[in-house]
Amino acid sequence: MSGVGDEPFIAAVKPLVDAMGGEMIPPDEAGPDDVVLAWEGRDAVAVRLPQLADSLDHILAAMERRKGVPLADLDRRAKQEVVRILEARGAFSVRHGVETVASALGVSRFTVYNYLNREKGA
């Protein structure tokens, strides 16, 4: 995937690609929706970005790792904070986003909508 001299660059961007749920591929295998990154004047690596629905799953998993417990085990205030963060990140613009978040939080869709409405009214 890399040529001589690309390894430090690829190592530097890998944590970012991993954090957003992307995949690093050889630049010559890049499709029209992939992002090709250049290093020292030549294509070093391509990044295949996840689909939005996959990104939401990745974001939820990362939030769960950060909290150290399943999101469903959080108290109501913490779940409201999760919904606030997810809304800021566009999670509810994804098809079935509310259902996905509700499932991860162990609450109903109605509860997620209540959290969202409470935030807008605050």
Side-chain angles (χ1 to χ4, degrees), residues 45-106:
V45 67
V47 177
R48 181 156 294 152
L49 300 172
Q51 298 301 310
L52 284 176
D54 295 338
S55 292
L56 179 53
D57 289 338
H58 192 77
I59 291 167
L60 288 167
M63 291 181 90
E64 197 164 90
R65 281 191 307 274
R66 203 170 312 127
K67 299 283 185 187
V69 297
L71 296 178
D73 292 348
L74 297 174
D75 64 24
R76 184 175 55 87
R77 185 178 299 269
K79 288 179 181 181
Q80 289 171 335
E81 176 65 21
V82 166
V83 168
R84 211 173 6 259
I85 292 166
L86 291 171
E87 183 180 28
R89 295 186 72 176
F92 301 110
S93 63
V94 175
R95 186 170 187 211
H96 303 297
V98 171
E99 292 87 347
T100 301
V101 171
S103 177
L105 293 176

Side-chain angles (χ1 to χ4, degrees), residues 9 26-31 33-38 42-47:
F9 175 73
D28 59 346
E29 294 179 18
D33 294 331
D34 298 328
V35 178
V36 178
L37 302 176
R42 53 187 282 287
D43 294 343
V45 67
V47 177

